[in-house]
Amino acid sequence: VSQSRYGQFKRKMTAHPTVDISNQDRNGWFCFVDGYATLDQSRASDRVSNLLVIELFPTEWAWALHNSRTPQVKCLCGETHHLRKFAGMGSACTFPVETLVFAGLAASAIAMSGGLPDTDVDLVDHTGLLGVYGDDVVVPEIYAKDVARAFGSVGLVMNDQKSYTQGRFKESCGVYTFDGKDVTPSFRRRWLPTTDSDVDSIVSAVEFVNSIQLRYADGGALQPLTGIENMPTVCYDVDTTGLYRDWE
């Protein structure tokens, strides 16, 4: 049931750029636009309560979601705990549900602050104002405090170390910018391969080298910069022409 609902969510959400969880590039694009704040939640999935989901979703969806969740867990200590959160990470519905919850709360907060009409309007279709991908939320700086208060009113907690409501630095969905310039670091997520059959590590190393070449260096600078020897760089061109035209 959970996987089926996830599929339905994903298909329907792709029609709305604000909550399209099939692609996180939109949130990254907002980081390059002046006047936006990037907000992040602390332990987001653990703080979206089942009651909040029941209140926000239509009755039929709320019933289906409620019946697809785990209502209680039995710990090693022998005690049974009844869960108040909707679901933790690992449930197929957790990510789309929290995306819709945060989008609804953010859009409502902006509407109540005068940024959107508060009647007869599909708030999440105002694509120029919001970017929501899980607990990564991007809103205009002038409404950041209103959105943060709305989140706090239902028990959500901002991650102050990863939220940027003003200033020159922004980060969302792995995109880092400073003064509108891309400063995203390149990460090596695995150790270097030890054998030719270590496929995952080889793929990771190639991605790492590609990332550095794309952002920072020419081919001759790769070896001293990364310490990687005899690693072929897979050449590719990136054409972003028109990539964001529907979001502006």
Side-chain angles (χ1 to χ4, degrees):
V1 175
S2 184
Q3 287 290 348
S4 174
R5 289 297 174 186
Y6 174 76
Q8 293 183 52
F9 268 131
K10 192 169 184 179
R11 286 192 298 273
K12 291 180 179 295
M13 291 166 71
T14 54
H16 306 276
T18 297
V19 293
D20 181 2
I21 57 174
S22 68
N23 193 317
Q24 60 184 356
D25 289 348
R26 173 183 168 81
N27 272 41
W29 171 77
F30 270 116
C31 292
F32 294 92
V33 182
D34 189 39
Y36 279 83
T38 57
L39 309 178
D40 190 79
Q41 305 293 318
S42 175
R43 296 173 55 190
S45 58
D46 289 335
R47 291 192 165 102
V48 175
S49 72
N50 189 47
L51 180 60
L52 179 61
V53 172
I54 291 173
E55 290 291 331
L56 291 181
F57 279 78
T59 302
E60 181 180 352
W61 276 93
W63 178 86
L65 290 169
H66 178 74
N67 284 281
S68 66
R69 63 187 286 271
T70 300
Q72 60 188 31
V73 294
K74 186 173 183 179
C75 292
L76 295 176
C77 64
E79 293 186 15
T80 298
H81 298 275
H82 295 274
L83 302 180
R84 296 182 181 179
K85 64 183 177 183
F86 167 68
M89 292 306 296
S91 167
C93 290
T94 297
F95 194 75
V97 166
E98 70 177 28
T99 297
L100 291 170
V101 166
F102 296 145
L105 290 171
S108 297
I110 292 174
M112 293 177 67
S113 301
L116 291 172
D118 58 4
T119 58
D120 300 325
V121 64
D122 185 353
L123 298 180
V124 297
D125 270 342
H126 284 261
T127 57
L129 284 176
L130 291 172
V132 185
Y133 186 85
D135 67 333
D136 279 278
V137 180
V138 184
V139 300
E141 287 182 354
I142 58 174
Y143 300 118
K145 290 184 179 179
D146 300 307
V147 173
R149 279 195 293 268
F151 288 165
S153 69
V154 294
L156 302 173
V157 178
M158 296 287 296
N159 184 342
D160 293 331
Q161 293 185 340
K162 294 184 65 178
S163 296
Y164 304 93
T165 57
Q166 57 186 350
R168 302 155 73 184
F169 181 82
K170 299 292 187 297
E171 183 277 325
S172 185
C173 291
V175 175
Y176 300 69
T177 64
F178 186 83
D179 272 349
K181 301 294 190 300
D182 188 359
V183 294
T184 306
S186 295
F187 297 98
R188 189 173 69 193
R189 302 185 184 280
R190 290 176 176 265
W191 293 106
L192 294 181
T194 55
T195 67
D196 292 340
S197 61
D198 189 0
V199 177
D200 289 339
S201 292
I202 291 174
V203 170
S204 177
V206 170
E207 289 177 345
F208 178 56
V209 171
N210 282 345
S211 174
I212 292 177
Q213 173 152 314
L214 179 64
R215 290 194 176 99
Y216 311 115
D218 59 27
L222 287 173
Q223 182 172 325
L225 186 62
T226 64
I228 298 176
E229 298 181 5
N230 302 319
M231 173 58 65
T233 301
V234 179
C235 298
Y236 58 87
D237 294 320
V238 178
D239 180 7
T240 59
T241 304
L243 181 61
Y244 306 117
R245 61 180 181 273
D246 295 332
W247 300 341
E248 295 177 340

